[in-house]
Amino acid sequence: MLVSVLHSLLHLLTTVELGGMAAIFAEVALRAAKEHLTHEAYLWELATHERDLRIQRRTTRLLRASGLPAEKTFRTLDLGKLPSAIQVQMARLKSGTFLEIATNVVAIGKPGVGKSHALAAVGHELVTQGHPVLWLPTSTLVQRLLAAKRDLRLPQELAKLDKFACVILDDLGYIQQDRDEMEVLFTFFSERYERKSIMLSTNLVFSEWERIFKHPMTALAAIDRIVHHSVILDMMEVESYRATEATIFQQAQETNAETASLK
């Protein structure tokens, strides 16, 4: 009789898609009996396990779809090398509350200062909170939108991107666009304006965005849509870690060469 009940319960839990509970209910039941747990405590353990399992699966699914660089997280980000003001901003962004009012984030700085790492680290935190995030180079987005426009499916492509609570565009300053490319990027900015967040990294200060959008008024309109509700991570004074590492490496080589010459 007991075996039949257990089998029926296993089937029922599986049928109603409570696989986490189905996997452990018998084991937890034995422990509950030994420890004299109440029915409520037993049910709480099963429900907690099911919740945690679903969160884990959701995080794995969102992370796979995000395209985020796996190694660029807060765990690997050296916040101590960033100015204290940016550290405070990063702590606030980590909470993910900026998504609630469609705030944008712009990381501005020279190459090698950690702009991409900072944005990716925030992206990973958003994923763990259950937010769908998309990371991609700006040039990749532009070509994706341009192809959609040529195939007369730009609205459909924008609708796909709209499913992401945050789109992270890496390296805005490295693209040199023609008119069509500029137009689709501007359209993307306009579509998300005051609705969904954009995070982007760039090596160009805003006064240089005309190099991207070619026309002063278009550049001004693009900046307005990005900056109106935004957090600016000003990293222009941060020293390039790649340059620092190269200097240290060069100094080490010179020291080794001098040591060898003295032998």
Side-chain angles (χ1 to χ4, degrees), residues 47-118:
T48 299
H49 178 76
E50 182 70 36
R51 178 204 62 193
D52 293 345
L53 187 62
R54 291 191 178 197
I55 290 175
Q56 180 182 353
R57 288 172 177 169
R58 180 192 65 191
T59 300
T60 300
R61 183 181 71 254
L62 291 176
L63 190 58
R64 187 184 303 116
S66 72
L68 284 163
E71 73 284 357
K72 292 184 177 181
T73 65
F74 271 99
R75 183 178 59 83
T76 56
L77 179 63
D78 189 354
L79 283 171
K81 291 185 177 180
L82 299 177
S84 58
I86 293 182
Q87 293 182 38
V88 172
Q89 289 176 307
M90 291 292 291
R92 291 172 179 168
L93 292 172
K94 193 175 183 179
S95 70
T97 55
F98 69 96
L99 296 181
E100 298 172 5
I101 53 174
T103 298
N104 299 318
V105 181
V106 184
I108 306 176
K110 300 171 184 176
V113 299
K115 303 185 300 296
S116 299
H117 196 154

Side-chain angles (χ1 to χ4, degrees), residues 209-210 213-223:
W209 277 34
E210 188 179 335
F213 292 96
K214 308 303 181 183
H215 192 279
M217 292 305 296
T218 304
L220 184 61
I223 293 170

Side-chain angles (χ1 to χ4, degrees), residues 172 177-190 206-227:
L172 177 67
Q177 301 156 304
D178 60 26
R179 183 177 180 82
D180 288 340
E181 292 172 327
M182 173 272 293
E183 286 180 352
V184 293
L185 182 59
F186 182 80
T187 299
F188 173 72
F189 287 170
S190 298
F206 294 120
S207 61
E208 297 177 307
W209 277 34
E210 188 179 335
R211 290 166 51 183
I212 300 172
F213 292 96
K214 308 303 181 183
H215 192 279
M217 292 305 296
T218 304
L220 184 61
I223 293 170
D224 179 65
R225 282 158 176 74
I226 292 295
V227 177

Side-chain angles (χ1 to χ4, degrees), residues 29-45:
L30 289 174
R31 183 164 57 80
K34 292 179 180 179
E35 298 177 5
H36 305 289
L37 296 180
T38 64
H39 293 89
E40 292 84 0
Y42 169 64
L43 181 59
W44 184 88
E45 285 210 27

